[in-house]
Amino acid sequence: MKKPSFYKQIMLVFFASIAFTLLCSFFFIHYLYSELYLSSIEESIIYQGQRTAAHYHYGELSDEIIQKIQWYNIVSEYEIIVVENLDNLTEHFPYQVNYETLVDQQDQWQLEQGKYVLKKGYVEELNREIIGAIFPIKGEQGLIGFIYIYVPLAAIRDVFSSSIPILLIVGTLFFSILFLVVNRIWKSIFRPLDNLQRLAGEVSQGNFGQQLPIERKDEIGQLTKAFNQMSQSLAQQEERKKEFIANMVHELRTPLTYIRGYVHALKQKIKTSPEEAEEYLTTIEKESERLNKLIHDLVDLNHLQEELYTIEKQPLPIAQLLLDAIDLFTIHLAEKKLDLKVDIDEDLIVAGDADRIHQVFYNTIDNAVKYSFSPGTITISLKKRDHLVQYQINNRGLTIPKEELERIGERFFRTDKARNRATGGTGLGLSIVKEIVRLHDGTFSIDSDEKEGTTVTIHWPHLNVEGGDH
């Protein structure tokens, strides 16, 4: 079963509230009628009956007394019947109340005890509900008569005839205002939500260019702002995905082109000497290794970015890992005439994976060597800063523009747009570094300017072997 729209649900609540209000109004009016109107009539009858009967508690029920009571009947709002015995009462009031006789044996006994009898119910001949009471009149020798006071009750529409028009006017005004408020809410809330739904459909189709105007500062405005930011972020991600695919194609195409060209040359024997053939084979081998490294780095990076991947941490003498990585670049440093300056605290311990930490050092040193001017200087330091281990490597070489610093570490992103094959690797090295640092609860940053050169700074939590992390 299809769930109704949010707007229909609100309208359903609106009309349900109207029905509930009408129902409550009915019960309220009924309460006023039954509890207030009827109770007040009953209390008034009892008061008037007891008062009247009390005036004639002596002597006999003379014609003069009866006439006075009859006169009171004329000027009062009640019907009053005065009789000497109950048999005469049925002559003056020959009706049944709720289809029963007016006075039964139980009523007679109660009257003989000097107590009044309350009688209320429907009288068919009058087509009305009545409420009344029979009061005994006592003399010196006992009962000398009875007073029956009753009043036909007004229908509920008669009781509230003057208030019903007011109730209708106020009710109509109230529900009109309520409808306008709901309609206003619809325009101010649900229409922006409809716009969000429409734009979400556009985004799901890959159209990220549209933005919704932010016309309010409440929750709807915040939702619109968040959606615009999400749409903009998706647009950036889409752009970067296209760039990634283009870079991937480029990175694969170049070595494949070299391999195919040299294989074709070898097959067609387009060479002038065995030395040239050997050079072709060396180039093919080099490009094959380049392809293999590219694929290996991609797999490695995807593996590191998997949420289920965890680092098996153990206490590591991090200085030794750095020194081992530096030893691998002895020949490269000499070839580029680079002077290496190191400042290493050999007592530092971190919790981590030895192979991954070594990979961080290797990739950052490799980048520093590739992008350094020749001759030049590379500075490496490893020290404790507060509760952290700080690793820094600085070189003087290609400067990274400020607008590109934030993109350092993205897949295939390199600052050498021409992708000089002498310096550029796969463009994945720092991406791998950032993921390894993240998995070790560390931080990665990079700064670059012409005066100070390029500096990569990495922090890891320092492990105190005796007391744990500090």
Side-chain angles (χ1 to χ4, degrees):
M1 182 177 178
K2 186 177 180 181
K3 188 176 181 180
S5 65
F6 196 30
Y7 175 71
K8 290 182 178 179
Q9 293 181 44
I10 291 297
M11 295 307 297
L12 181 63
V13 171
F14 172 71
F15 288 113
S17 65
I18 293 178
F20 179 75
T21 304
L22 292 174
L23 185 63
C24 290
S25 300
F26 169 77
F27 282 115
F28 178 68
I29 292 175
H30 186 270
Y31 168 79
L32 291 179
Y33 176 78
S34 60
E35 296 297 329
L36 299 183
Y37 173 69
L38 296 182
S39 296
S40 65
I41 293 295
E42 182 179 325
E43 291 175 0
S44 178
I45 287 176
I46 294 173
Y47 172 76
Q48 294 294 341
Q50 290 177 337
R51 181 182 177 187
T52 303
H55 286 169
Y56 310 103
H57 61 279
Y58 56 88
E60 297 179 353
L61 192 61
S62 63
D63 293 337
E64 183 182 356
I65 293 175
I66 294 175
Q67 288 177 1
K68 288 182 179 180
I69 293 176
Q70 295 295 345
W71 177 83
Y72 181 75
N73 182 31
I74 295 173
V75 298
S76 71
E77 59 180 325
Y78 306 110
E79 297 290 337
I80 301 177
I81 300 174
V82 183
V83 295
E84 294 181 352
N85 55 66
L86 293 176
D87 292 336
N88 294 334
L89 180 59
T90 57
E91 295 178 2
H92 292 81
F93 189 85
Y95 311 121
Q96 290 183 329
V97 179
N98 281 341
Y99 304 98
E100 296 178 355
T101 56
L102 183 63
V103 180
D104 57 21
Q105 292 182 352
Q106 178 66 27
D107 297 334
Q108 290 180 10
W109 181 84
Q110 190 167 342
L111 290 170
E112 290 174 357
Q113 300 298 317
K115 300 178 181 179
Y116 68 88
V117 175
L118 189 65
K119 305 296 290 186
K120 54 183 177 181
Y122 177 72
V123 177
E124 185 176 8
E125 290 79 2
L126 301 177
N127 194 25
R128 284 289 182 91
E129 294 277 338
I130 71 165
I131 183 169
I134 304 172
F135 300 88
I137 303 175
K138 286 188 175 184
E140 294 178 354
Q141 303 300 323
L143 293 177
I144 61 174
F146 301 90
I147 299 175
Y148 179 40
I149 302 178
Y150 73 93
V151 59
L153 298 176
I156 190 169
R157 62 179 178 272
D158 299 328
V159 177
F160 299 99
S161 59
S162 60
S163 59
I164 287 178
I166 299 176
L167 184 63
L168 290 175
I169 294 173
V170 173
T172 303
L173 182 62
F174 169 74
F175 289 120
S176 298
I177 294 175
L178 184 61
F179 179 78
L180 292 176
V181 170
V182 171
N183 192 51
R184 178 69 176 177
I185 292 174
W186 162 250
K187 290 182 179 180
S188 63
I189 295 180
F190 298 115
R191 286 188 180 178
L193 292 178
D194 279 345
N195 291 334
L196 281 174
Q197 183 180 8
R198 177 186 54 78
L199 189 57
E202 293 289 331
V203 171
S204 67
Q205 298 298 322
N207 302 322
F208 306 112
Q210 297 187 37
Q211 295 280 296
L212 291 175
I214 302 175
E215 301 174 347
R216 46 201 299 170
K217 297 182 179 179
D218 57 6
E219 290 81 358
I220 298 296
Q222 294 298 320
L223 177 62
T224 303
K225 181 180 179 182
F227 190 90
N228 286 340
Q229 291 174 345
M230 181 197 70
S231 179
Q232 186 176 4
S233 177
L234 288 174
Q236 293 175 352
Q237 291 294 330
E238 182 69 15
E239 185 65 28
R240 291 180 181 181
K241 182 177 72 173
K242 292 178 179 179
E243 184 178 349
F244 169 78
I245 294 174
N247 290 336
M248 184 69 181
V249 170
H250 177 85
E251 293 292 343
L252 291 174
R253 178 186 295 162
T254 303
L256 287 174
T257 300
Y258 273 82
I259 292 172
R260 184 176 61 183
Y262 285 115
V263 168
H264 179 75
L266 290 172
K267 289 179 68 175
Q268 299 298 324
K269 298 181 180 181
I270 306 175
K271 56 184 185 297
T272 58
S273 65
E275 290 78 10
E276 188 175 356
E278 182 67 23
E279 183 179 346
Y280 289 173
L281 290 174
T282 300
T283 302
I284 292 173
E285 182 181 19
K286 180 180 177 181
E287 295 302 324
S288 298
E289 291 176 355
R290 179 179 173 82
L291 271 176
N292 182 66
K293 187 176 188 312
L294 173 64
I295 295 172
H296 179 272
D297 284 350
L298 271 176
V299 172
D300 206 18
L301 182 58
N302 286 333
H303 182 59
L304 288 170
Q305 289 178 335
E306 287 291 333
E307 295 297 330
L308 298 179
Y309 181 82
T310 56
I311 292 288
E312 295 183 4
K313 297 180 181 180
Q314 57 182 350
L316 299 174
I318 191 171
Q320 187 59 50
L321 295 175
L322 177 56
L323 292 172
D324 291 343
I326 292 174
D327 289 342
L328 297 176
F329 289 91
T330 302
I331 297 176
H332 297 287
L333 291 169
E335 288 177 350
K336 291 197 68 173
K337 299 178 181 180
L338 297 174
D339 183 26
L340 181 64
K341 295 182 179 180
V342 296
D343 184 7
I344 299 175
D345 185 346
E346 298 184 0
D347 296 327
L348 300 178
I349 303 295
V350 298
D353 184 304
D355 292 336
R356 293 302 185 185
I357 297 293
H358 181 272
Q359 192 174 9
V360 168
F361 292 142
Y362 182 91
N363 287 0
T364 53
I365 296 172
D366 184 50
N367 267 20
V369 171
K370 285 179 180 178
Y371 293 101
S372 289
F373 292 141
S374 178
T377 301
I378 294 178
T379 303
I380 298 176
S381 68
L382 186 69
K383 293 185 177 183
K384 184 179 179 182
R385 290 286 184 269
D386 297 327
H387 60 287
L388 300 173
V389 172
Q390 177 182 282
Y391 164 70
Q392 282 188 328
I393 181 168
N394 171 270
N395 74 314
R396 301 296 179 90
L398 296 176
T399 303
I400 304 172
K402 290 184 178 181
E403 62 273 11
E404 295 182 353
L405 282 175
E406 292 184 358
R407 299 197 61 187
I408 295 297
E410 292 182 12
R411 296 186 181 194
F412 295 120
F413 181 78
R414 292 183 297 186
T415 57
D416 55 333
K417 301 301 181 182
R419 289 176 172 79
N420 187 302
R421 299 182 61 78
T423 60
T426 63
L428 299 173
L430 289 184
S431 299
I432 294 174
V433 167
K434 290 182 72 173
E435 288 302 316
I436 294 175
V437 171
R438 179 183 65 85
L439 291 171
H440 282 81
D441 303 318
T443 60
F444 173 94
S445 63
I446 184 168
D447 297 298
S448 183
D449 59 61
E450 294 182 357
K451 183 179 180 181
E452 300 294 334
T454 300
T455 303
V456 172
T457 303
I458 297 173
H459 290 100
W460 288 289
H462 178 255
L463 180 64
N464 188 317
V465 178
E466 296 180 358
D469 290 332
H470 288 282

